[in-house]
Amino acid sequence: MNSSFRRAGPASIWLSGDKAFVRYFGARAISLLAVSMAPLVVTFAVLSISTSAHELAVVTIARTLAMLVLLPVAGVAADRVRPGTILVTAHAIAALSQSCAALLLHASLPKIPLLTVMEAINGGASALALPVFMAIVPAVVEDRHLVQANSAITMVRSAATIVGPLLASLLISSGPSAGLALNAALFALSACLCGQLRLGAPATDLSAGRRLIDDIREGWVDFVSRSWIWSVVFAFTLVNAVFAGVQSVIGPIVAVSHRGLGQSGWGLAIAAMGAGMFIAGIVMYRMRPRHPLVSGLVSATTIALPPLCLWAVPSALPVACAFLVAGIGMEVFSICWLSVLQFNVPQDRLGRVSTFDALGSYVAVPIGTSLAGVLQPIHGDLLLPLAALVILVSAAAPLIVPSVRSITANTWSDSIADCPEKD
């Protein structure tokens, strides 16, 4: 795969005169840290009130459902409303919801129902910010530095997934309200930083005569008219669903049933995957794929290694190595995919198109986890090799689409893919 990469230009994204990317990067980093902390601090807040698994599930599901429901609306807003307005509002709402949740723990009120409402609001606020953060990357860096910018974002995201839960765990020892309070403060800080972003108005403003459903429908038409987009999104909805089942259900069961792996070995494997993701960000920061989607998809086939290794060699070191390589493959694909998406989709439609990509990822996780829980007791011996095969075939399948193979680093443009402009 080395022949498909070449070195990128100088690291000028940090040195531009208006420091646009530097401001964006700071706001995004704090936002990612806050978002990565939120699930853990909320979990322990609920458990400080009740040990009921049902009540914990209700609060968690409320957050996820709010994100799924609001994502299509968020995509429209990202293309129609001033980005700074959305980002400041979303993070301010998130800060307020976590502040209220912290206060609820000390109030004589029905805590679980109100916490459910607060976390649904927090999840909805996170959904509002997600498409905007994606859509404005081309506005803060030059097209030729998109891979570099996405690599930097990937590195900070990987770091946030480690630092966020660790920070939450340390604060929770002082009480769940302390964790919620710091989480609220981080969202508030991100709101302030987002307010410093110098972003212009969107190409098309919201108008009173245009219905929300029309904007969503237009985004869907843009999505399905580009075979290189929908083929990859559909394929990776399946990849994400299967891998979520392996990571959340099947893998831990295999770990506790094999002495050579065990709980500590499983923890090492998950940490190795995070390390691989961080390594990929470092490598891709200085590389620019000549055939970005081809390189990304070939790299993504490595995601089949963890289930294959868990089935064939369930021992700590081989499994950790498999997760390390898979983590690298995941992030190489992610960086290539985001860069191509941001370059090839018109700015005034990127928010809506990327929303359908995000929906595929969010929907896949609960579906894959649920199916794994149902099927594992029945077909446990077959699930891991079957999962590896499905991931391998799904990741490679979009390569048969001509427009996927046509996109190159030198000729990235809508003209090479079947993505006609809409009036």
Side-chain angles (χ1 to χ4, degrees):
M1 196 169 68
N2 291 339
S3 61
S4 63
F5 289 85
R6 60 187 176 87
R7 292 180 66 83
S12 58
I13 56 173
W14 308 105
L15 304 175
S16 61
D18 61 357
K19 298 293 188 295
F21 182 74
V22 174
R23 287 192 294 271
Y24 169 86
F25 185 81
R28 187 75 188 273
I30 299 300
S31 178
L32 285 168
L33 183 60
V35 170
S36 69
M37 279 185 65
L40 192 59
V41 296
V42 170
T43 294
F44 283 98
V46 173
L47 292 176
S48 71
I49 302 167
S50 169
T51 57
S52 168
H54 171 72
E55 291 182 332
L56 178 59
V58 167
V59 176
T60 303
I61 290 171
R63 179 185 177 84
T64 303
L65 284 178
M67 293 187 72
L68 290 175
V69 169
L70 283 179
L71 265 174
V73 178
V76 173
D79 293 334
R80 297 289 183 259
V81 180
R82 190 178 290 273
T85 301
I86 298 176
L87 290 176
V88 171
T89 302
H91 286 89
I93 292 172
L96 183 60
S97 67
Q98 296 299 72
S99 298
C100 291
L103 293 173
L104 273 174
L105 298 182
H106 304 286
S108 300
L109 295 169
K111 295 180 175 61
I112 295 298
L114 290 174
L115 273 176
T116 302
V117 173
M118 289 300 104
E119 292 317 305
I121 292 172
N122 190 271
S126 297
L128 282 175
L130 181 62
V132 181
F133 269 134
M134 269 200 63
I136 64 175
V137 174
V140 296
V141 296
E142 296 179 17
D143 290 339
R144 64 194 179 99
H145 293 302
L146 281 173
V147 172
Q148 192 178 39
N150 284 312
S151 299
I153 295 165
T154 291
M155 284 189 279
V156 78
R157 184 180 64 196
S158 300
T161 60
I162 299 170
V163 176
L166 179 61
L167 185 59
S169 300
L170 293 173
L171 283 167
I172 286 166
S173 61
S174 301
S177 59
L180 286 167
L182 178 63
N183 198 219
L186 286 172
F187 277 119
L189 176 58
S190 186
C192 294
L193 292 173
C194 288
Q196 301 301 310
L197 295 174
R198 300 170 187 171
L199 299 169
T204 308
D205 293 328
L206 275 174
S207 61
R210 189 171 181 86
R211 296 183 303 171
L212 176 65
I213 190 64
D214 292 332
D215 281 322
I216 294 174
R217 186 183 295 114
E218 185 182 78
W220 174 253
V221 171
D222 279 325
F223 174 79
V224 298
S225 69
R226 294 163 163 82
S227 60
W228 63 270
I229 295 183
W230 63 254
S231 61
V232 172
V233 171
F234 288 167
F236 276 82
T237 297
L238 187 56
V239 169
N240 289 336
V242 174
F243 191 75
V246 171
Q247 184 177 352
S248 301
V249 178
I250 305 173
I253 291 174
V254 172
V256 298
S257 60
H258 289 80
R259 294 180 60 186
L261 186 54
Q263 294 181 9
S264 60
W266 182 248
L268 176 65
I270 299 301
M273 183 171 67
M277 295 166 73
F278 192 80
I279 290 169
I282 295 173
V283 172
M284 291 296 291
Y285 186 81
R286 298 299 301 166
M287 307 297 289
R288 188 182 184 191
R290 287 187 178 142
H291 296 275
L293 285 186
V294 173
S295 298
L297 290 166
V298 171
S299 299
T301 60
T302 60
I303 302 173
L305 287 176
L308 187 62
C309 194
L310 281 167
W311 173 65
V313 195
S315 298
L317 185 58
V319 170
C321 290
F323 271 88
L324 176 71
V325 175
I328 294 173
M330 286 177 191
E331 285 307 276
V332 169
F333 165 76
S334 177
I335 292 164
C336 291
W337 171 244
L338 289 175
S339 301
V340 171
L341 201 65
Q342 290 160 355
F343 190 94
N344 285 278
V345 178
Q347 185 76 33
D348 63 337
R349 304 174 191 183
L350 181 56
R352 283 167 291 171
V353 171
S354 62
T355 291
F356 290 108
D357 177 31
L359 274 172
S361 298
Y362 280 110
V363 169
V365 173
I367 292 176
T369 303
S370 301
L371 284 176
V374 171
L375 294 175
Q376 201 281 331
I378 305 172
H379 304 290
D381 294 339
L382 297 175
L383 282 185
L384 284 171
L386 180 61
L389 179 62
V390 171
I391 290 171
L392 181 64
V393 172
S394 298
L399 291 170
I400 67 174
V401 180
S403 56
V404 168
R405 301 192 305 272
S406 298
I407 295 178
T408 68
N410 295 325
T411 57
W412 288 3
S413 93
D414 280 334
S415 63
I416 63 172
D418 50 337
C419 44
E421 292 292 331
K422 309 292 182 302
D423 295 327

